[in-house]
Amino acid sequence: MGGPRAGRAHDDPELRAVIQRYVTPGRRYLKLGGALLRLEEAERARYAQETGRAAGEITPQELDVLLAGGWRERKTAAWLIAVSRRTEYRGRLGELLLASEGPYAGAAYCVALASFGAEADAALLVAYLERYLRRPDLAYDQAFAFATLLRLDAWSGRSDATRFLRPGGLWQRWLGGPPDRSYNLSGYQDALDRLCAFVRSAAASAGA
């Protein structure tokens, strides 16, 4: 599943050109995410420079094209939006997260919202969690989104996550399933810290 241009690269010259420039080089759509954490420091620094250049070069029109595509295009766009700090896309990323139309891109939306770090970003995460923690039958990006909200609380001094942590609250009920679930939220938060550090490094290399 995806946007109106998902799966149409073969007959959509504009989409194909943007994919070839920003999504597929070096399989960027796969590397941006958890794979970054497995890179050696020097390789990660080089990749941050490369990502920073791409984020500085991509135009709003090209970002819109990617956000109308499939998960590869949307995931890549979210990372480039984060690095270039284009907060005008906050609402669009929130809409895509809430819609959860396909796999693999949700964590990228969370990283972008975390990198913006404002109260408005926390509100988008709260809206997502209010909807999907009520669905124990679905295991989408609830754990990563919740870890992101916890991190934003820690950084800002807010307590937006508190409502979900009450005994018998939505987080506990979602974990109870069925099926039963267990997540290392500290591990997710550590990963988020490192991914946001990459965003900052890439942004600095691009002068964003």
Side-chain angles (χ1 to χ4, degrees):
M1 297 178 66
R5 302 176 91 152
R8 290 180 48 196
H10 64 285
D11 61 359
D12 188 330
E14 183 182 28
L15 177 60
R16 183 168 63 249
V18 179
I19 289 174
Q20 290 173 346
R21 184 173 183 187
Y22 294 107
V23 179
T24 55
R27 304 184 83 184
R28 177 178 286 145
Y29 67 93
L30 287 178
K31 193 170 289 185
L32 290 173
L36 291 170
L37 307 182
R38 297 188 289 274
L39 298 179
E40 296 293 334
E41 185 174 351
E43 185 179 0
R44 189 162 54 247
R46 287 193 298 271
Y47 199 68
Q49 292 180 337
E50 179 183 324
T51 305
R53 284 194 298 272
E57 292 169 359
I58 194 167
T59 67
Q61 180 183 4
E62 290 170 326
L63 283 171
D64 290 340
V65 169
L66 292 184
L67 290 173
W71 70 265
R72 297 170 182 82
E73 295 81 37
R74 289 175 169 183
K75 178 183 176 183
T76 304
W79 274 92
L80 298 181
I81 286 168
V83 171
S84 54
R85 199 167 177 79
R86 302 192 200 197
T87 55
E88 64 271 24
Y89 282 94
R90 170 186 286 123
R92 180 65 176 134
L93 295 179
E95 290 172 358
L96 290 171
L97 179 62
L98 193 62
S100 290
E101 292 179 334
Y104 308 122
Y109 306 147
C110 291
V111 170
L113 296 176
S115 72
F116 297 158
E119 186 173 356
D121 303 294
L124 293 171
L125 292 165
V126 167
Y128 172 83
L129 292 167
E130 285 281 2
R131 173 176 294 185
Y132 287 102
L133 288 181
R134 299 177 190 277
R135 295 293 307 273
D137 57 314
L138 301 177
Y140 288 172
D141 296 288
Q142 290 97 322
F144 197 83
F146 189 48
T148 303
L149 185 62
L150 288 168
R151 219 55 180 154
L152 287 180
D153 277 356
W155 293 339
S156 68
R158 294 191 302 270
S159 56
D160 294 308
T162 302
R163 73 189 73 187
F164 301 113
L165 287 170
R166 298 187 183 98
L170 286 179
W171 175 247
Q172 189 176 79
R173 284 154 51 192
W174 182 74
L175 286 179
D180 288 342
R181 300 181 176 93
S182 178
Y183 290 94
N184 180 0
L185 288 175
S186 295
Y188 278 118
Q189 290 177 78
D190 177 66
L192 180 66
D193 287 344
R194 296 168 65 191
L195 294 173
C196 285
F198 176 86
V199 169
R200 291 192 296 271
S201 175
S205 72

